[in-house]
Amino acid sequence: MALDTPKTELNSLGFAKAPKDTRVLVAMSGGVDSSVVAAQLASEGYDVVGITLQLYDHGAALAKKGACCAGRDIHDARRVAEEMGFPHYVLDYENKFRESVIDEFADSYLAGATPVPCIRCNERVKFRDLLETAKDLDADCMATGHYIQRFMGSEKAELHKAADGDRDQSYFLFSTKQEQLDYLRFPLGHLRSKAETRELARKFGLPVADKPDSQDICFVPNGSYASVIEKLRPGAADPGQIVHLDGEVLGEHKGVIHYTVGQRRGLGIGGREPLYVVKLDVDKKHVIVGPKEALATRKVPVREINWLGDEPFESREEWHVSVRVRSTRAPKEAIVRPLSATEAEVELLSPEEGVAPGQACVFYETEGTRIWGGGWIWRGY
């Protein structure tokens, strides 16, 4: 009679082998989050390999405070690896980053959109190119310091919101493909606060325990998008007219790139009721303004959809979900009607203000924490 084969327990990363036999590549930005991930896994005995990406000019990076992947951050990541005793490498991804993220950011902005380059960086650099590097190094998985959760469902790996709603980064990770999700791990997603992360950093004696969080987009100094666009695309800031929805010309502007949909301050057209930017007409070089109610939108066209549901996206005429149209907004109930495998019309059950092309529209489970995917808003109203 055959004996039952004893079941091998899974380690904390979900593999049926000892941590020392499990190689994990940790994407290290030099900040406290990814440093804690690397230190935690190293302390558990995993075969950790730390990788930091140099994404833009090293000299310029050293002069910029508060940005990820800068020269100081590379130094900090290396120090953490030395403290914890695992190998660390710096990869020059400057050309890939420019081609995959920065150039599109500039072109989208010039087209009147409000792009989110951090999403493209995760999608095209960290979770594509770096993930392939991890596989080339025979890593069993890749871990990051993102605040999001990955659970094994009955069908496949699922993406869920972080336990800490204030730190949840699901908006920036909606485009993660299923095959990437199968390979990725997010060890911080279950933590309830950033204070817990910093306490772990102190526990491991990490030099970055009290390092401030980065605030700006890494290649945008002081949050000035327009200055970056002018540098990347000389002559982009052509002047034009500020026009009311009723057609009245209210003034002049110094370039459409200085404005975003929903903006109120800095218009320079005082003396009337409060006005907001409701649309950017790049071809006519018009900044179109109107009252706050003109920003309200119910119908949102979405394309480049990444679907993480268990059933095919087109298997239903409509999906009842919650959606987030800005990273700073809470999800609101909506109906998503597929037009193809990658396009849909989203109907918001209550109108949203400031819906802008170039932003993401992320789909969530209405009752629960699961992320169904999402797409890109591609046309304004």
Side-chain angles (χ1 to χ4, degrees):
M1 183 176 69
L3 297 175
D4 290 337
T5 303
K7 290 185 178 179
T8 304
E9 288 190 15
L10 300 181
N11 61 36
S12 63
L13 293 177
F15 297 99
K17 52 184 175 180
K20 66 181 180 63
D21 299 320
T22 306
R23 176 170 292 177
V24 51
L25 183 146
V26 179
M28 299 183 68
S29 69
V32 64
D33 298 326
S34 57
S35 296
V36 165
V37 167
Q40 177 74 54
L41 294 175
S43 72
E44 292 178 22
Y46 285 98
D47 178 10
V48 172
V49 178
I51 298 285
T52 301
L53 303 181
Q54 182 183 319
L55 298 179
Y56 50 88
D57 179 69
H58 207 148
L62 285 169
K64 182 181 183 313
K65 295 181 179 180
C68 68
C69 309
R72 178 79 227 175
D73 297 319
I74 291 172
H75 173 73
D76 288 342
R78 183 178 291 122
R79 286 179 63 200
V80 169
E82 290 173 353
E83 290 279 344
M84 299 303 299
F86 59 82
H88 173 262
Y89 305 97
V90 179
L91 302 182
D92 183 356
Y93 271 38
E94 190 172 336
N95 288 338
K96 290 183 179 181
F97 186 65
R98 184 178 184 106
E99 293 167 2
S100 300
V101 179
I102 297 180
D103 285 344
E104 183 189 82
F105 170 83
D107 293 339
S108 296
Y109 225 88
L110 287 177
T114 309
V116 192
C118 296
I119 297 176
R120 290 301 196 193
C121 182
N122 289 326
E123 174 189 318
R124 298 175 175 178
V125 179
K126 294 175 182 175
F127 290 178
R128 186 184 69 186
D129 295 336
L130 182 56
L131 190 144
E132 288 305 314
T133 297
K135 292 180 177 179
D136 289 341
L137 293 173
D138 293 326
D140 293 283
C141 63
M142 186 173 95
T144 79
H146 288 107
Y147 287 87
I148 197 166
Q149 298 189 85
R150 174 192 181 276
F151 296 136
M152 284 306 301
S154 58
E155 301 288 332
K156 55 189 177 182
E158 300 174 355
L159 203 59
H160 288 254
K161 289 187 285 188
D164 179 3
D166 292 335
R167 306 293 304 179
D168 175 60
Q169 292 177 289
S170 57
Y171 184 85
F172 300 98
L173 297 170
F174 82 88
S175 62
T176 304
K177 304 292 187 289
Q178 186 64 50
E179 59 270 23
Q180 295 170 335
L181 183 57
D182 292 340
Y183 193 72
L184 289 163
R185 300 294 188 273
F186 308 106
L188 300 185
H190 68 287
L191 299 183
R192 295 289 176 179
S193 71
K194 185 60 178 269
E196 288 187 50
T197 307
R198 294 196 182 279
E199 187 57 39
L200 285 171
R202 295 186 189 98
K203 170 188 168 184
F204 295 122
L206 302 184
V208 296
D210 297 310
K211 185 175 181 177
D213 291 338
S214 58
Q215 299 296 327
D216 299 328
I217 295 171
C218 64
F219 61 91
V220 181
N222 305 314
S224 177
Y225 291 9
S227 64
V228 172
I229 302 303
E230 288 180 278
K231 183 177 179 181
L232 293 170
R233 301 288 188 270
D238 292 336
Q241 295 178 325
I242 299 176
V243 183
H244 194 277
L245 279 171
D246 62 14
E248 181 185 355
V249 176
L250 302 179
E252 302 288 323
H253 64 75
K254 295 181 181 180
V256 171
I257 63 171
H258 293 280
Y259 303 86
T260 58
V261 172
Q263 179 178 336
R264 177 185 173 188
R265 299 182 184 278
L267 299 181
I269 49 171
R272 297 182 57 126
E273 77 277 13
L275 294 173
Y276 298 77
V277 176
V278 297
K279 188 176 181 180
L280 300 172
D281 189 327
V282 176
D283 294 334
K284 294 181 179 179
K285 297 184 175 63
H286 284 178
V287 173
I288 301 169
V289 299
K292 189 175 183 180
E293 54 266 26
L295 287 169
T297 299
R298 280 187 180 273
K299 299 290 182 67
V300 182
V302 178
R303 62 183 177 184
E304 291 185 63
I305 288 171
N306 178 54
W307 180 247
L308 295 172
D310 298 329
E311 304 169 50
F313 183 57
E314 294 177 281
S315 64
R316 298 189 193 178
E317 290 186 0
E318 57 185 43
W319 297 88
H320 290 252
V321 300
S322 292
V323 303
R324 181 180 283 170
V325 295
R326 289 267 188 173
S327 62
T328 54
R329 306 258 178 98
K332 290 190 175 181
E333 289 191 46
I335 299 171
V336 177
R337 297 186 176 92
L339 302 175
S340 71
T342 58
E343 290 187 284
E345 180 183 76
V346 176
E347 180 183 350
L348 305 171
L349 299 194
S350 57
E352 281 270 14
E353 296 175 352
V355 176
Q359 294 283 301
C361 180
V362 183
F363 310 155
Y364 296 87
E365 190 175 24
T366 302
E367 300 291 337
T369 61
R370 189 170 176 185
I371 296 117
W372 296 119
W376 294 93
I377 301 167
W378 66 275
R379 187 175 66 234
Y381 284 89

